[in-house]
Every structure is written in C-alpha cells, then in structure tokens.
Amino acid sequence: MTLAALCLAAGAASAADPCADYIPQPKPQNTSRDIVGRDMDQLIEQGHMLFAVYEDNPPYSWDEGGKPRGVDVDIARLIADDLGIEARFNFVAAGENLQADLRNNIWKGGIVSGRISNVMMRVPYDSAFKCRVEQVTFIGQYAGESIAIAYDKAKYPDGGPLPAYFRFDTVAVENDSIADFYLSGFAGGQLAQGVRRYPTMAAAMQALAEGEVMAAMGPLGQLEFGRTNAIAIHQPPLPGFAVSRWTLGVGLHFAYRPLGYAADDAIRYALEDGRIADIYASYGLSFQPPER
C-alpha cells in the first residue's frame, strides 16, 4: 500500500534533476529530544535503539509469540550489532501513504501515542520523493523488490499466466496494493472482474494454496514465502507497469545524520560480506541486490 502511494506522490520531475519542480517546505519547528529521537552518542550510552517495522508483514516483520521475526528484523539487528547496542522493535501499522508512515514514526509522532523510532525499515527509495520529505534522511539501501505472479501449476501446465489472462481467470492481490491498482486499471478495467482482494498478501497466497483462485500477484518475497510445492512463480513482462521494481532502504530523522551514516556503513558491510543475502536465504527468499 505504501509503495503505491509513493508512486502517486512522487509526481513529475525532470530526469536530470528529480527535485527541479519542488518548492521547499517550511522548516519543521524544534521539538524536544524525547519526541524526535536521540543522537548516536546517547544511543550508545543507553545501550539500545528502536526500529519501526511493519506489523503482521511476513516474511519481512512479524511477532511470533513475543519474539520479533523477519528479514527486516534481522537486518535491523545487524545495524544495532555494528554499533554495539541492542535492537528493539516498534511494530507499526501501515498508514494511508508513505508520508504518513514517516511522519508518524520518524519525525513527528502519531496523534495518539506519539512514539518515535530511531530508524524505520523497508522504506522505498525514490529520488523524487525524498525531495518532498525534508524531515527524513533516506539512506541504507539494502535490497531490491519486484512484482511477480504466483500460479497453480495444475491450472497452467504450459507456463505461467500473463496479466491479460485475468480477464477470465481469478487472481488474488492484497487490497489497495500496487498490484491491485495495476490489475484494476489494466486495459481500461477489463481485468477487474478476475481480481480477488484479501487483507494481506499472506491471505492471498493462502487462497491460492487452497484453490480459491488460480494465481496471485504481489511482491516476489511475499509470494516465495507463501509458496507450496503446487505453486510456481514467474515474472513476465508487465505492460504499462510504471514501477514493477524498486529499492528498499531505511529512513531516520534528518537531525541525526551521524546515525544515518553509521547505519549505511553497517548495511554496506553486510552487503559486501553476504550477510544480508544469507538473511534472505534463511527465509527461503531470493535476494535482489539494491541500487546504491
């Protein structure tokens, strides 16, 4: 859901200068350290730091019997370990768009709890979008993600379906996701009758495994995590799909750049020595290197 909103929010900008059409915002007012976070020296002194991760979002982040699990959780621990401190986690719900998520979790706080994290994981990186959220530093690109189609091998013995197949065949998507918007608007809405919406991608993959639908479309990692022996995955050409591949990184408050540099260094080292690729492999996922 947040990626789809990012695509809409970025707007048009020139290829040479993605910030060329943007008028800077008023600078945010000063707030107390308890609200905006802590600098790196204070984090090291207190011995822990807080990471915002999305709740109920396997294989990336979820709570399993009180124990945080997932790719993003393990990468966050790499960052904290590199600083010699403990990683703690704030499981957050996805907001109406990425700007709301960053505002609520990184630089201002929600209306109710107001809890701010030091670093937010799984932030899509976009050179035009970053111009529009000056309160956040976007850094630490750690992986790529892309859209794929999972399908029932028995229903498609000759190979995986193309988007046009869903004029007649059923396909599961996460509600209000980028795959949902793409299929619903494809060819003037001709595929809409075949789209089946579920609250999460995990539920969509379960529907595919149980035979409720013939295929599912969404991020490759989530499809791989829900795959069974009867399910195959492919990545066919997706006509008219503006952003079928993207890069993921971290976000943090603009006032704490030394922490951002430290997090970026930790991620770079873990990319170079293969630890991040190993984390993906431990969950049965393909690692897609980021653009850095």
Side-chain angles (χ1 to χ4, degrees), residues 61 79 82 151 166 204 217 282:
S61 51
I79 297 171
D82 199 70
Y151 59 94
F166 303 131
M217 186 174 180
S282 72

Side-chain angles (χ1 to χ4, degrees), residues 33 37-45 118 255-256 258-259:
R33 287 185 181 273
R38 295 178 180 274
D39 62 33
M40 196 160 66
D41 290 340
Q42 289 177 305
L43 294 177
I44 292 173
E45 182 180 351
N118 302 110
Y256 299 104
L259 175 59

Side-chain angles (χ1 to χ4, degrees), residues 10 16 18 36 57 90 93 102 150 196 202 210 230 248 265 275 284:
V36 300
N57 192 36
N90 182 23
L102 295 169
R196 303 291 183 269
E210 294 176 354
L248 296 162
D265 285 343
R275 281 177 290 158

Side-chain angles (χ1 to χ4, degrees), residues 162-167 179-192 237-241:
L162 301 176
Y165 287 34
F166 303 131
R167 289 179 62 190
D180 182 6
F181 294 148
Y182 171 71
L183 292 176
S184 298
F186 186 87
Q190 293 183 35
L191 311 186
L238 299 174
F241 207 137

Side-chain angles (χ1 to χ4, degrees), residues 121-144:
M121 305 297 294
R122 193 152 289 269
V123 176
Y125 181 83
D126 180 271
S127 58
F129 180 77
K130 72 176 185 179
C131 306
R132 290 152 171 77
V133 187
E134 297 176 350
Q135 301 91 338
V136 176
T137 296
F138 299 86
I139 204 164
Q141 291 76 33
Y142 60 83

Side-chain angles (χ1 to χ4, degrees), residues 32-184:
S32 74
R33 287 185 181 273
D34 289 339
I35 293 177
V36 300
R38 295 178 180 274
D39 62 33
M40 196 160 66
D41 290 340
Q42 289 177 305
L43 294 177
I44 292 173
E45 182 180 351
Q46 74 183 16
H48 59 83
M49 61 187 295
L50 186 64
F51 292 87
V53 293
Y54 287 109
E55 65 183 8
D56 300 326
N57 192 36
Y60 310 123
S61 51
W62 76 98
D63 185 294
E64 188 171 288
K67 180 180 179 182
R69 290 202 62 204
V71 168
D72 293 342
V73 168
D74 291 350
I75 294 174
R77 288 187 173 123
L78 288 181
I79 297 171
D81 287 347
D82 199 70
L83 294 174
I85 59 180
E86 175 192 357
R88 297 183 180 179
F89 297 96
N90 182 23
F91 285 92
V92 301
E96 62 183 12
N97 55 41
L98 181 58
Q99 286 173 298
D101 289 348
L102 295 169
R103 180 182 65 247
N104 293 339
N105 297 297
I106 292 299
W107 66 269
K108 186 175 183 180
I111 296 175
V112 178
S113 67
R115 190 179 195 190
I116 289 297
S117 298
N118 302 110
V119 173
M120 186 167 188
M121 305 297 294
R122 193 152 289 269
V123 176
Y125 181 83
D126 180 271
S127 58
F129 180 77
K130 72 176 185 179
C131 306
R132 290 152 171 77
V133 187
E134 297 176 350
Q135 301 91 338
V136 176
T137 296
F138 299 86
I139 204 164
Q141 291 76 33
Y142 60 83
E145 186 59 275
S146 57
I147 293 295
I149 297 176
Y151 59 94
D152 186 329
K153 291 188 286 188
K155 300 286 178 58
Y156 298 100
D158 298 326
L162 301 176
Y165 287 34
F166 303 131
R167 289 179 62 190
F168 308 102
D169 299 349
T170 53
V171 57
V173 297
E174 181 178 355
N175 189 43
D176 286 342
S177 66
I178 191 170
D180 182 6
F181 294 148
Y182 171 71
L183 292 176
S184 298

